[in-house]
Amino acid sequence: MADERKPGGSETPPPKNGEAKQQPVKPAAEPPKPAAAKPAHPAPPKAPAVMASTPWDSDLARELKQRFGEHISETSTYLGQNFVVAKPEAVVPIVEYLKLEADFDYLVDVTAVDWPKRAERFDVVYVLYSFPRNERLRIKTYITEGYRPQTVVGVHLAGNWLEREVFDMFGIEFAGHPDMRRILLPEEWEGYPLRKDYSILQQDERWVRENLGIESGQ
């Protein structure tokens, strides 16, 4: 009797005598990679970037050096921005000279930088602009904590509010200022937020509690 076959398919012929069905050979697994060696010591922190300024040599720079002599220690430029480093007592005379003799008749800003570990802890920076020249010039001076630089209000009335902001944020008082008080924070606020020893999350919790009736959200 003939073998029955399933419809629609065919049977796989049995292996011949002496032949075994071969299994596919799996590729050998790659050996595990060794773990990366840990450095013996952590890399030292990067040194802070140094402002790569270059000497500023121009007619105005030479005029200032000739007029104020040893009261100016540096005339430099950085990325096209010129600046003068002067002794604190020379700042107001320099600002006045620049206004009357060199057309720098706009006081753009007065600001400061805090360097807590430096003997002369603060930079005080005056930003001037000349409309006829279309040029900016910065006057920079270094002061110790507690030193009271002379106000520039007598030369530029805009210095009134600008110096008050420096006082509010850094605690630097300006001698001769007509209204030396806070301008952004409440008068009773304790601390100066832009000093480096004033934590970015810190605020006067007592003032917040007493005046707003809430706990500090920080």
Side-chain angles (χ1 to χ4, degrees):
M1 183 175 177
D3 294 337
E4 294 183 357
R5 298 178 181 272
K6 295 181 181 179
S10 60
E11 293 183 356
T12 303
K16 297 180 180 180
N17 293 336
E19 291 183 358
K21 187 176 181 180
Q22 295 182 351
Q23 298 295 330
V25 179
K26 296 182 179 180
E30 295 182 0
K33 295 180 180 179
K38 295 182 179 180
H41 300 286
K46 293 183 179 179
V50 177
M51 188 173 76
S53 59
T54 56
W56 171 42
D57 186 23
S58 70
D59 290 342
L60 180 57
R62 288 188 288 271
E63 287 176 19
L64 290 171
K65 287 181 177 179
Q66 183 177 3
R67 178 67 179 265
F68 296 98
E70 62 182 12
H71 286 95
I72 290 179
S73 60
E74 181 182 351
T75 55
S76 298
T77 187
Y78 176 68
L79 298 179
Q81 300 295 314
N82 303 325
F83 65 92
V84 173
V85 179
K87 292 183 178 179
E89 62 271 19
V91 168
V92 174
I94 292 172
V95 170
E96 184 174 24
Y97 176 84
L98 288 168
K99 177 182 179 179
L100 300 178
E101 305 295 335
D103 295 323
F104 284 88
D105 52 0
Y106 175 31
L107 178 63
V108 179
D109 199 6
V110 181
T111 188
V113 184
D114 182 19
W115 304 91
K117 296 181 180 180
R118 198 177 68 184
E120 295 171 315
R121 176 169 180 170
F122 297 104
D123 295 357
V124 182
V125 185
Y126 303 78
V127 184
L128 303 171
Y129 180 73
S130 169
F131 285 97
R133 294 170 177 261
N134 188 24
E135 182 181 346
R136 288 178 186 262
L137 177 60
R138 291 165 175 80
I139 311 300
K140 183 190 297 186
T141 191
Y142 308 133
I143 64 171
T144 58
E145 185 167 8
Y147 183 89
R148 301 172 71 230
Q150 189 68 30
T151 181
V152 295
V153 171
V155 182
H156 291 282
L157 291 176
N160 189 321
W161 285 13
L162 298 174
E163 290 174 349
R164 284 178 60 189
E165 184 176 355
V166 172
F167 167 66
D168 202 357
M169 296 291 104
F170 293 92
I172 299 171
E173 296 187 37
F174 292 83
H177 191 283
D179 189 21
M180 192 81 275
R181 58 191 174 92
R182 290 187 183 273
I183 191 171
L184 300 175
L185 294 172
E187 193 66 26
E188 303 82 13
W189 192 272
E190 295 182 2
Y192 304 101
L194 291 187
R195 289 193 179 206
K196 296 288 178 62
D197 54 6
Y198 193 99
S199 168
I200 194 171
L201 298 180
Q202 182 180 350
Q203 59 178 305
D204 189 343
E205 296 181 359
R206 179 193 57 79
W207 189 96
V208 171
R209 188 181 305 111
E210 292 179 359
N211 292 274
L212 303 181
I214 62 175
E215 295 297 325
S216 170
Q218 298 288 356

